[in-house]
Structures are given as structure tokens and as C-alpha cells.
Amino acid sequence: MDDKRRQILEAALALADEEGLDAVSMRAVAARVGVSPMALYPYVGSKAALLDGMVGQLLGTLPRPDATDSRAGLQELAHALRALAKAHPAAFALLLSRPSVTPDAARAVDRVYQGLLDIGVPRSEVPRLERMFSSFVLGFAHSEVSGRFAVDDPQLRRRRGTDLPAHQAIGSYLTDVDWDAEFEADLRDLEAIIARWAAPG
Amino acid sequence: MDDKRRQILEAALALADEEGLDAVSMRAVAARVGVSPMALYPYVGSKAALLDGMVGQLLGTLPRPDATDSRAGLQELAHALRALAKAHPAAFALLLSRPSVTPDAARAVDRVYQGLLDIGVPRSEVPRLERMFSSFVLGFAHSEVSGRFAVDDPQLRRRRGTDLPAHQAIGSYLTDVDWDAEFEADLRDLEAIIARWAAPG
DNA sequence: ACCTGAACACCGTTCAAGT
DNA sequence: ACCTGAACACCGTTCAAGT
């Protein structure tokens, strides 16, 4: 039954959401499903395959292309990925470390390709701009939810006045951050790059 | 002794390089150092702290700012980070998941801030552009070495003709990739964005 | 001050056995 | 066909003991 596999993957995601990625063990997932650890193996072949399955499950929740406005499609995908990171911060890390070759991942990439082509980006630049776009979006969303953008770390705060001169020069702009606005500004900047390639000159 | 700590971290990095991040266990690191597992604890407080120490060790190898040409400094840092990813692909993943609050990390960020200020970027935009820049560089370098940019996956190749229309339209540009040239092109595009903010209008 | 060894509560996975 | 339980070779970490 394919339902059972989905049930297992959902249990794994819930476990990651509640207790972090380290808590996702075959034994814990099995306990949550109400079965012995060994009963998982016919549905997910191994621990690594379980993690891949979680990635697939996540990507499956991305909205389908509506093919009306391609430019809006890019933005929509970016927002959906960031929302995914916020909804499943621990599991999101898997997106960055496991190759995007699952059907759902390939479909999302194909959608970005189509959007770039529709806008008028030459075919030779489409794969590069997709990778630049996805690298940024995944890198930003992951950094945001994993705490890499630690603006208010006490350890950092203490050192600001001393050996970090540029930090000092920038002052309050370091700590007063509207993350939603920042993400939008980044997307606008990236769109400007893409527009330059769509209409060169 | 602080030498001992460094020795432990080097052993952990070597282990990650040779056998992957999963092979970095307290027991394996201790064995490599030639000591019992418990002897590590005075130097690295826990397994998590060991991983943080590895990040610090990696960042410590980044070149220091030379303060001659700030624009070149940004490029140099980007190249150094990508080189780090290639030299330590497994350990590089830690850079993306652990907050950049260690002294070395803060120093690297301060250096980028100074570079942006020197170029003429307004203070209000400096932190955002640094995060955009670092998110892209880390996202790209990680994707590249972790295999996320899987252009020649057989599973993907098989599906290209069928349900991935945009992939089909792009053709050979999908598989013939010069990664060095692509990274340079991305950096040029990002530099163009930054230049727009340095001299608005 | 620094290290060790036994012990505890966990892992992923194999394998033989049950229904 | 699907599941279980015992077993194996591992984990991180605590704690008492050694020098």
C-alpha cells in the first residue's frame, strides 16, 4: 500500500517538526506509526531513503504552476519555498543536501525554466539563472530558519564595539530587520538581474 | 592546552573529509587522536560543540582582509568559500546550519560590510546585501559539492523527454556546464546589483 | 589536572521466526 | 505477504575510579 508509505513519511515529518531532525530515528518513527521498527523497511528502504522520502513529501506540497503569469510564478515559488522552511525548519535542511532528482523536484525546476523562457531569457542562460535563483532562495530560507542570521546573539553583541569596526559604523541597521521586507527586496533585485538577461543591451 | 583542542578538531575534519560527516563520532575522533572517548570532553564540551569547533576551524582558514581593493575583497571571499566547499565538502554543510557567531565568522562578515561601505552602498542596505551575497555563495557552493546540481542523473535523464517540457526545450545547455564560468557569471550579476545600490539612479 | 573503563540508554540493520 | 523479536555492532554521555 502506498498509503502506508505516506503515513510513515508524515510521521517522520511530524517528528522532525516537534523534536528536530536528530529525533527522526527508524525506531521513533515506527513507534509513532504504531509498528515495529522492521516493519518500515518494505516501504522505505533505509534511513537515507526515509530522508529522501521526506524531501519528496515536502516538495509535493508546493503549488502547481498555473501558467497564467510566468513572472509571478517565480515569485510564487520563492514564497512557497520560504513558507515551507518556516513550516518545517528542521526538515528543510534536507532540501539543501539531497539532490533534486525526485519527480516533484524536477517538476519545480521545470516550472522555473518555463518561467524564464516565457520572459525571454535566452536558452543558454536559463539553467544558470535557475541555479542562481534556487541557490539564493534555499540559502536564504535555510539561513533564516536555522538561525544563521543571528542578529541578536549576545556573544556577537559584546564584540561589536571592539574588533568589528564596520559593524559599529552600520549601527542600528544591524538589529532592526523586517525579514519579510528584506526577502521581497532581494527578490526584486534578482528579478532585475533576470530582466537584464531577458532584454539585453 | 589549546594545541590539543586544535589537534582534536583537525582529526574530526580529516575524518569528515575521508568518510563523511556521519563518521565523525566522539569515539572515532578519539581513536584517531589516540585517546579514550572521554578524554575529548574537557577540550570540546559535547558532540554539538565539536561540530561548532569544526566550523570555526574552517572559517579560520579564510584569507584575512588586505584592505587594498574592497571590491576585489568580496570576490576573493566568494572564491575562498567555494574553495573551502571543494576542500571539505562534508564539513561545509555545517557552515549552513550553525549560526555565524564565532569570532572568525563575525570577522568575515565585518569584512564584507567594510567592502560594501567602501564601494558606496548606503548603510541601510549593507546588512541586507551581505546576507543576500552570503546566502547565494553558501547556497551555491553547498549545492555544487553536495550533488544538488545533479545534471547527469540517469533517473532525471529518462524523464526529460516526457513530462518535463521546458527541460526538453533547453536541450544541451542542461548538461554542458562549466561550473567555474557559471560561478564567475553569477558573481558578475551580483556585483551589478550591488553597483546599482552604490550609485542609485 | 588529566585520563580511563564500565555502564546506560540509545542507534540502523540482519536474520530467523511467526501468522 | 506482512510483521515481530532477538541480536549485532555501533552511538553520546554519566559516573566512579585511577595516576
Side-chain angles (χ1 to χ4, degrees), chain B residues 76-144:
Chain B
E76 189 192 349
L77 187 61
H79 287 118
L81 281 169
R82 183 162 174 254
L84 211 60
K86 295 202 166 191
H88 305 281
F92 193 81
L94 296 171
L95 268 182
L96 260 160
S97 35
R98 308 195 96 80
S100 43
V101 294
T102 60
D104 283 307
R107 206 149 30 224
V109 170
D110 200 72
R111 178 182 170 185
V112 175
Y113 285 171
Q114 194 60 60
L116 294 170
L117 288 171
D118 289 353
I119 289 168
V121 172
R123 289 183 303 158
S124 62
E125 296 297 324
V126 164
R128 175 176 80 83
L129 290 175
E130 185 279 327
R131 285 188 285 266
M132 186 167 87
F133 180 80
S134 64
S135 290
F136 162 73
V137 173
L138 291 176
F140 183 94
H142 178 83
S143 297
E144 190 183 6

Side-chain angles (χ1 to χ4, degrees), chain A residues 26-27 38 41 47:
Chain A
M26 298 297 276
R27 290 165 132 102
M38 286 309 100
Y41 280 75
K47 173 76 183 291

Side-chain angles (χ1 to χ4, degrees), chain A residues 57-81:
Chain A
Q57 195 79 350
L58 282 186
L59 289 172
T61 69
L62 289 176
R64 304 281 145 176
D66 49 354
T68 54
D69 181 0
S70 300
R71 191 180 301 249
L74 269 191
Q75 306 280 328
E76 189 192 348
L77 186 61
H79 287 119
L81 279 169

Side-chain angles (χ1 to χ4, degrees), chain A residues 180-190, chain B residues 125 128 132 197:
Chain A
D180 289 350
E182 170 151 340
F183 191 65
E184 300 305 323
D186 287 351
L187 289 183
R188 275 197 300 277
D189 275 348
L190 283 172
Chain B
E125 296 297 324
R128 175 176 80 83
M132 186 167 87
W197 284 100

